[in-house]
Amino acid sequence: MLGKPQLGVINRTMGGIIIGVCKDYHTDDLTKKIEPAYHTVNYGGINSYSVKINAKQSIPKVMANIKANWNQLTGNLPFNYTFMDEEVAKSYDAYLRWMTTITTSCILAIIIACLGLFGLSGLTTLNRTKEIGIRKILGASIGNLFLLLNRGTIVLAIGSFIIAAPIAFYLVHQWLDNFAYRIKLDWILFTTAGIIAMLTAIIAVSYHTIKAAAGNPVKSLRSE
């Protein structure tokens, strides 16, 4: 179709002569595939222009210069402009709001869960104070006592990960299906998240258990 065919013979619907072809580029957000597009210049009926501003230039000065030239050429017709990055960002507003909501909810859920584990750890340690003292007198190390008191928490964390990982994988996969161009999910991502969750749970219960394991066993035996 190159070679400037006669108007109305090959490219009648385009309303112009084909003078060149460029590489594929996005004219929309990433939820849509790149589709064939064409651009025409109709003399006397141009609605907008695209202007590239170099990174080192001052945007306010450049815009003032463009506006001055526009007023001179058009006789002070209305001058409206937008920036491409802002227009692209608008197409992702809904996704950004959704991500902000999910992130905030996750942070709150993690904080509440850690507070619950912290309180549960304190109650468990209090109920097993004498047991801790006896085990320490019999030679149990701080590490052994820590594992003894937190074994249930570790088992629950592992069980939660086993249940949550497939569900999270499915939901993320469904969400990514909205995009024509997307990343590939890797189980390393979910494994890393599981390790972080495990460490977070252990940190949440560490204060009471380490304090009880490192305490004086005599005081533990005297506790009521």
Side-chain angles (χ1 to χ4, degrees):
M1 296 181 70
L2 291 176
K4 298 184 178 181
Q6 294 182 359
L7 179 62
V9 176
I10 295 179
N11 59 333
R12 182 180 304 163
T13 59
M14 294 185 180
I17 299 173
I18 300 176
I19 62 173
V21 178
C22 63
K23 292 183 179 180
D24 291 340
Y25 67 95
H26 275 289
T27 58
D28 215 320
D29 57 67
L30 293 178
T31 60
K32 302 178 179 65
K33 291 184 178 181
I34 297 177
E35 297 181 352
Y38 61 87
H39 305 278
T40 62
V41 177
N42 299 320
Y43 296 101
I46 300 175
N47 296 321
S48 62
Y49 295 91
S50 296
V51 179
K52 181 180 180 181
I53 301 176
N54 293 329
K56 297 182 179 180
Q57 290 182 298
S58 172
I59 293 179
K61 291 182 180 179
V62 172
M63 296 309 302
N65 188 24
I66 292 175
K67 184 176 182 180
N69 284 280
W70 172 268
N71 292 335
Q72 182 179 358
L73 293 172
T74 64
N76 296 320
L77 288 176
F79 178 69
N80 300 315
Y81 64 90
T82 59
F83 292 98
M84 183 176 180
D85 58 341
E86 295 177 353
E87 294 298 320
V88 172
K90 288 180 181 179
S91 63
Y92 295 101
D93 280 345
Y95 293 103
L96 292 175
R97 287 195 300 268
W98 183 84
M99 288 181 62
T100 301
T101 302
I102 294 298
T103 301
T104 304
S105 301
C106 289
I107 292 174
L108 291 175
I110 291 172
I111 293 174
I112 294 172
C114 288
L115 290 175
L117 288 174
F118 184 81
L120 181 62
S121 172
L123 181 61
T124 302
T125 303
L126 182 63
N127 292 334
R128 304 180 69 175
T129 301
K130 288 187 177 181
E131 179 187 351
I132 294 171
I134 294 173
R135 289 182 179 275
K136 193 168 184 182
I137 290 174
L138 294 176
S141 65
I142 295 178
N144 292 333
L145 293 173
F146 183 84
L147 291 176
L148 174 68
L149 295 173
N150 296 322
R151 185 180 302 165
T153 300
I154 295 175
V155 171
L156 288 175
I158 295 174
S160 300
F161 172 75
I162 294 174
I163 296 173
I167 298 175
F169 182 86
Y170 173 78
L171 293 176
V172 173
H173 189 275
Q174 291 295 111
W175 180 70
L176 288 175
D177 281 343
N178 294 321
F179 295 87
Y181 303 92
R182 42 168 290 183
I183 62 172
K184 292 183 179 180
L185 292 178
D186 194 338
W187 278 103
I188 295 177
L189 175 65
F190 295 92
T191 303
T192 303
I195 294 173
I196 294 174
M198 182 76 65
L199 292 176
T200 303
I202 292 175
I203 292 172
V205 300
S206 293
Y207 173 76
H208 291 295
T209 52
I210 293 177
K211 181 180 179 181
N216 190 337
V218 177
K219 292 183 179 180
S220 300
L221 293 173
R222 287 179 179 177
S223 65
E224 296 294 335

